[in-house]
Amino acid sequence: MSERLEAFAKVFLAGEYAVLEPGRPALVAGIDRKLHASVDRGGRGLRIVHAPSGVSWEGGPAPAGLRFAARAAQLAVRFCKGSADLRITFEDDLALGGQKLGLGGSAAACVLAVRGVCLASGTRVGEEEILALALAAHWAEQGGSGSGADVAAAALGGVVEVRSRIPWRSVEEVMSVPAEQIASSRPLEVRRVRTPAELRLLLAWAGAPADTRALVRAVRGFGSAQPARWMARADDISAAEESLRAAFESGSRDSALEAVRRGAAAMAALGDEAGIAIVTPELARACALASGADAAGKPSGAGGGDCAVILAFGDEARDRAEAALRPHFPVFPVSLA
């Protein structure tokens, strides 16, 4: 019998890059665009299939499109200590015309792989354990980088404030740790954030996928070479995050829009100083169009392409922003999951 699972796409609302520093916060949202997988018990061994492409994996080196799911599934098998005779089939992906949108598809795949293995084995597992196992696999497959905030959004949905407490120093270290210890490690501090009922979200596709790992490497290199300048930029990004969270919780529309604009400006300043295009001309244009329509926008995630996330309050403001953006960008209205 097949069972169907889902995980949420993510958008970063604030805190990108700064959240890579332990203890600094990010606001991230799990939205109603979802990744789906079906789990079938039986067969011989563990098999993972990506139905849209027909690519599959049954052991050995994983193909590029399945490497995150494969690592997460293998880690979950170690944790569950049960039969690994199952098939996980990914039914869709978080892409547009075969191009990734930067909505956390690899994080969602890790969450689904862990859930699928645990479900098939009959192991009782809590959300914190699923989150820790999925995060460890995702972090390792990224070469020991990332904050884990995207994994939290994929697993939990809604708006959460995330602080990274990842204890591992290398891929080799985390992969040598017993799976039970990983599951109990609590590598993230997560709390839910209340948002105003009239909050509306749009995504504007900038037209090109971003190389997140390359951007993060460049920012880390900048931080190592210019620690004082990096700290100043990270302080600005964190301040915008704290302002946005406070505005959400107080219901202050104007303060929230201003915080989003401050966050976009702080990311642009970081890109300028690090010598990389975090806020590309396309993303800058989307943000400007949003501001002109009584909304606010910023890159969602690492920037460099992918999507701008647009925040508006009320249906009329959302519709004005969408009308301003749609002649220039593919636009996707989304809701909090």
Side-chain angles (χ1 to χ4, degrees):
M1 180 178 177
S2 180
E3 299 193 53
R4 197 166 189 251
L5 303 175
E6 63 183 26
F8 305 110
K10 62 83 182 171
V11 293
F12 268 89
L13 303 179
E16 295 92 334
Y17 291 108
V19 72
L20 296 170
E21 296 287 337
R24 287 188 182 268
L27 274 183
V28 61
I31 58 173
D32 59 353
R33 292 180 74 94
K34 300 173 184 177
L35 188 68
H36 299 90
S38 58
V39 180
D40 296 276
R41 299 176 179 87
R44 299 185 62 182
L46 171 64
R47 186 180 186 207
I48 301 177
V49 178
H50 181 248
S53 65
V55 173
S56 65
W57 173 83
E58 298 182 64
L66 293 176
R67 61 189 181 89
F68 285 92
R71 190 185 285 267
Q74 289 172 310
L75 182 56
V77 167
R78 285 170 48 197
F79 174 74
C80 294
K81 295 185 172 65
S83 169
D85 295 332
L86 73 150
R87 169 176 164 148
I88 301 172
T89 303
F90 288 94
E91 301 173 3
D92 44 30
D93 49 33
L94 300 175
L96 177 67
Q99 295 191 89
K100 79 178 188 72
L101 295 172
L103 299 182
S106 60
C110 287
V111 170
L112 291 178
V114 171
R115 283 183 177 155
V117 170
C118 293
L119 175 67
S121 70
T123 301
R124 294 177 63 87
V125 58
E127 279 298 317
E128 288 188 334
E129 293 170 312
I130 290 171
L131 181 55
L133 292 165
L135 184 153
H138 193 258
W139 186 84
E141 198 58 40
Q142 289 190 122
S145 72
S147 67
D150 46 0
V151 181
L156 303 175
V159 175
V160 290
E161 185 176 60
V162 179
R163 287 176 168 84
S164 178
R165 309 290 187 189
I166 295 173
W168 316 295
R169 293 167 295 181
S170 69
V171 174
E172 293 73 23
E173 178 183 347
V174 67
M175 288 296 102
S176 68
V177 172
E180 298 83 356
Q181 185 178 331
I182 292 174
S184 64
S185 63
R186 305 299 183 263
L188 296 179
E189 179 184 327
V190 182
R191 77 176 185 92
R192 290 205 174 272
V193 174
R194 182 179 67 252
T195 58
E198 64 271 22
L199 176 65
R200 303 290 184 267
L201 300 177
L202 298 168
L203 297 176
W205 166 237
D211 187 340
T212 299
R213 291 181 66 178
L215 290 164
V216 169
R217 281 196 302 270
V219 168
R220 287 200 179 279
F222 165 68
S224 296
Q226 302 285 344
R229 291 168 63 189
W230 155 244
M231 289 299 292
R233 300 288 72 75
D235 285 346
D236 290 344
I237 291 171
S238 293
E241 186 278 343
E242 291 165 3
S243 295
L244 182 57
R245 186 246 306 143
F248 279 165
E249 293 182 331
S250 68
S252 176
R253 166 192 174 279
D254 290 341
S255 296
L257 296 179
E258 178 58 27
V260 172
R261 295 174 187 132
R262 285 175 56 196
M267 292 180 72
L270 173 61
D272 290 343
E273 293 206 29
I276 52 175
I278 290 176
V279 181
T280 63
E282 293 78 12
L283 289 171
R285 186 182 192 189
C287 295
L289 289 168
S291 290
D294 197 27
K298 57 175 288 298
S300 172
D306 289 341
C307 288
V309 57
I310 312 300
L311 282 73
F313 288 88
D315 293 341
E316 290 186 5
R318 178 202 58 204
D319 293 347
R320 284 196 301 273
E322 185 172 358
L325 289 159
R326 194 168 289 283
H328 311 284
F329 302 96
V331 179
F332 311 96
V334 297
S335 300
L336 297 177

